[in-house]
Amino acid sequence: DWLPQDHLAWFVLDAVEQIDLKQFYKKYRSDGVGNSAFNPSLMVGLLIYSYCTGERSSRRIEKHCQTDVAYKVITANQLPDHSTISRFRKDNQSHLKTLFLEILRLCADAGLVKLGKVSLDGTKIKADASLSANRTLKHLEQEIDKMLSEAAAKDAEEDNAFGPDKRGDEMPEELQNRDSRINRLKACKERLEREKAQAIQTQQDKIDRRETKKEATGKKPRGRNPKLPQDAENKDAKANVTDPDSRIMKTRNGYVQGLNAQAVVTEQQVIVAEDVTQQENDKRQLHPMLEQTESNRKTVGIKEKTGVALADAGYCSDENFTKTPAGDVELLVAVQKDYKQRKACQDQPPPECPIPSCLSPTELMERKLLTERGRELYKLRSQTVEPVFGQIKDVRGFDRFMRRGIEACRSEWSLICATHNLLKLWRSGKVCWN
């Protein structure tokens, strides 16, 4: 009685009833053995509602369940504690992608998903780690050696105190915990060693190609001699010891420790595909995201095919333009920075006909952008995907992941995108439950 009938809490409860949650139920016993668990549908509803309202802290969600009427409605006046909430989110992270697709299906059933024109972009999200926690390979080796030598000294001390046949419960805690600092240090060291070996191999291949060309032509290739393989590594390369999966990312406001979150968005600002990558550059994300869009379209049962995909210059490359996109989507990608592209569309005259035969794929794309149709279509990009990131990061306050590890962050981004779509559906007023 304390909540109006059009409150978001009632909408979330109705939406959860429409979602297929069988994946969330699989791990629970049905024979009555063991302690009773909170109903998975209750926990899913609680996670969806809390993320919709911008609350992600399990401890604050627990407090809301005790004091907030809407949360009490969502949980049927039950009180899951923060450990239960956190554990449920962690244990079911692989199912959150399914949750995203289920909510996308609800949007499609309501006629809210139109795939004629979609926009693709990425945004940098801070990781649950600090820039100051980055270490070079040399520093990591020194820190690991120090910790191992301290552990060896501790072992010797305990052997003298308790005897060599003791079980070893007195071992330092950091050596017993799988998620301890030394394991994260080793993971960082392994990553930097892999990158070092790859850089050396790449440089060796370059030298071999140069020598092959020299033998074939009998002439010394132009340019200076390449570096020796052992000099090709980046000695300043760093890895983060708090979250080894995170990377140093450049943003408009400087550098952050984070990950690159991707989204494909319709004209109605509904997210139809999402992912998180460690790559700062967007170039390699164009075709994978379009492939996911096509896959999601078929999974959800959307009959309309994607017509045009709009993207900024971060996705520009000859390779991207020559490869056929999934679903045979037409590409319209900027070839220069956004402000320069807008200025070119405003100032430069339409291209002349006929099309020259000697143009590269990028030059052909630039020509397409300067046509009347290209100018009108590209305007839509900034009106669709950029406001979505603004709503997620500025309005709902999601500018940092709360969990660590690439898979955990992917599940969190899936939940954020799913609740974004659910809020769009709620505000549209186009809901018609079966």
Side-chain angles (χ1 to χ4, degrees):
D1 294 341
W2 289 355
L3 287 180
Q5 291 303 307
D6 60 349
H7 195 277
L8 176 61
W10 299 118
F11 183 82
V12 168
L13 290 176
D14 290 340
V16 170
E17 289 183 3
Q18 311 301 315
I19 295 174
D20 182 1
L21 299 176
K22 61 184 178 184
Q23 295 294 333
F24 291 87
Y25 279 88
K26 281 185 176 179
K27 69 173 185 176
Y28 292 92
R29 302 180 63 138
S30 58
D31 55 7
V33 176
N35 293 330
S36 60
F38 289 98
N39 194 305
S41 64
L42 179 153
M43 299 300 295
V44 168
L46 178 58
L47 273 183
I48 290 176
Y49 181 76
S50 60
Y51 271 67
C52 279
T53 55
E55 188 59 84
R56 295 179 291 134
S57 165
S58 57
R59 282 177 169 79
R60 288 198 293 269
I61 293 173
E62 176 189 358
K63 186 173 183 180
H64 283 307
C65 291
Q66 298 170 354
T67 60
D68 190 296
V69 172
Y71 278 84
K72 285 181 174 291
V73 169
I74 290 290
T75 60
N77 209 29
Q78 298 183 62
L79 298 175
D81 62 20
H82 66 272
S83 296
T84 301
I85 297 167
S86 178
R87 188 164 53 247
F88 182 85
R89 179 169 51 189
K90 178 182 178 181
D91 292 346
N92 293 282
Q93 69 179 31
S94 61
H95 305 326
L96 295 183
K97 177 69 175 181
T98 305
L99 199 61
F100 170 79
L101 291 174
E102 284 291 310
I103 292 176
L104 181 60
R105 177 181 60 81
L106 297 181
C107 292
D109 291 344
L112 205 63
V113 182
K114 300 186 184 301
L115 290 176
K117 306 175 191 71
V118 298
S119 298
L120 166 63
D121 204 359
T123 185
K124 308 302 191 299
I125 305 288
K126 297 174 186 174
D128 186 23
S130 170
L131 272 172
S132 61
N134 284 287
R135 302 288 186 270
T136 62
L137 179 58
K138 182 178 179 181
H139 192 153
L140 287 169
E141 290 172 344
Q142 292 173 346
E143 200 160 346
I144 290 172
D145 289 343
K146 179 182 177 182
M147 291 187 72
L148 291 176
S149 62
E150 288 176 353
K154 181 70 173 177
D155 285 345
E157 178 186 338
E158 289 171 352
D159 284 347
N160 291 330
F162 305 107
D165 297 328
K166 292 294 184 181
R167 197 176 140 258
D169 288 338
E170 305 83 6
M171 284 284 289
E173 183 181 352
E174 65 270 13
L175 293 182
Q176 297 180 32
N177 186 352
R178 289 186 60 197
D179 298 325
S180 67
R181 180 174 178 81
I182 192 166
N183 285 306
R184 284 184 273 116
L185 289 172
K186 287 180 178 179
C188 291
K189 181 174 179 285
E190 288 171 2
R191 176 201 144 198
L192 292 180
E193 285 175 339
R194 282 196 307 270
E195 292 179 357
K196 176 182 177 181
Q198 185 177 1
I200 290 173
Q201 184 60 50
T202 300
Q203 188 66 12
Q204 185 62 57
D205 292 343
K206 182 178 178 181
I207 294 172
D208 292 344
R209 287 195 300 270
R210 184 181 175 91
E211 288 299 319
T212 302
K213 183 177 179 181
K214 181 179 178 181
E215 291 175 3
T217 61
K219 298 179 180 179
K220 181 181 178 182
R222 297 179 62 183
R224 53 182 146 171
N225 292 329
K227 294 179 181 178
L228 295 173
Q230 58 268 30
D231 296 331
E233 64 167 305
N234 180 8
K235 292 183 171 59
D236 295 326
K238 295 180 179 180
N240 194 278
V241 296
T242 304
D243 183 358
D245 285 350
S246 65
R247 298 291 185 268
I248 299 175
M249 299 274 176
K250 185 178 181 180
T251 70
R252 293 179 181 177
N253 300 318
Y255 289 91
V256 299
Q257 190 71 34
L259 292 162
N260 186 355
Q262 299 280 313
V264 179
V265 181
T266 68
E267 284 188 85
Q268 296 74 33
Q269 297 181 1
V270 174
I271 301 172
V272 292
E274 47 72 36
D275 198 11
V276 174
T277 176
Q278 296 167 315
Q279 298 172 4
E280 181 181 358
N281 194 298
D282 291 329
K283 278 189 175 67
R284 297 181 183 177
Q285 308 311 314
L286 179 64
H287 289 282
M289 292 306 298
L290 293 179
E291 288 166 7
Q292 188 191 142
T293 301
E294 181 66 8
S295 174
N296 290 351
R297 180 188 73 81
K298 293 177 180 178
T299 301
V300 173
I302 302 172
K303 294 182 179 179
E304 181 189 13
K305 293 186 177 181
T306 308
V308 182
L310 312 171
D312 63 17
Y315 300 88
C316 173
S317 74
D318 281 350
E319 183 181 354
N320 280 342
F321 298 154
T322 52
K323 182 179 177 180
T324 303
D328 202 22
V329 179
E330 180 186 359
L331 297 178
L332 197 63
V333 181
V335 297
Q336 51 191 333
K337 289 186 178 180
D338 207 45
Y339 74 94
K340 291 182 179 179
Q341 190 65 62
R342 289 197 301 267
K343 191 173 188 306
C345 289
Q346 291 173 358
D347 299 342
Q348 294 186 23
E352 298 179 357
C353 291
I355 301 175
S357 59
C358 59
L359 297 182
S360 68
T362 298
E363 290 170 334
L364 285 171
M365 182 62 68
E366 183 178 18
R367 181 185 176 87
K368 185 193 288 191
L369 285 160
L370 293 177
T371 62
E372 291 297 330
R373 176 175 176 272
R375 294 171 202 253
E376 289 302 315
L377 285 174
Y378 190 73
K379 286 180 183 177
L380 297 174
R381 190 201 69 82
S382 61
Q383 301 168 15
T384 52
V385 66
E386 290 183 3
V388 168
F389 290 149
Q391 292 159 17
I392 289 174
K393 296 176 77 173
D394 297 330
V395 178
R396 296 170 64 196
F398 181 79
D399 62 351
R400 180 185 293 275
F401 289 110
M402 293 194 69
R403 302 186 62 205
R404 295 172 183 168
I406 184 70
E407 293 305 323
C409 291
R410 279 178 175 149
S411 71
E412 192 171 7
W413 181 242
S414 287
L415 187 54
I416 284 291
C417 293
T419 51
H420 168 87
N421 287 347
L422 193 66
L423 288 169
K424 285 289 179 184
L425 183 59
W426 176 53
R427 291 170 181 141
S428 71
K430 296 182 178 179
V431 180
C432 183
W433 306 123
N434 293 330

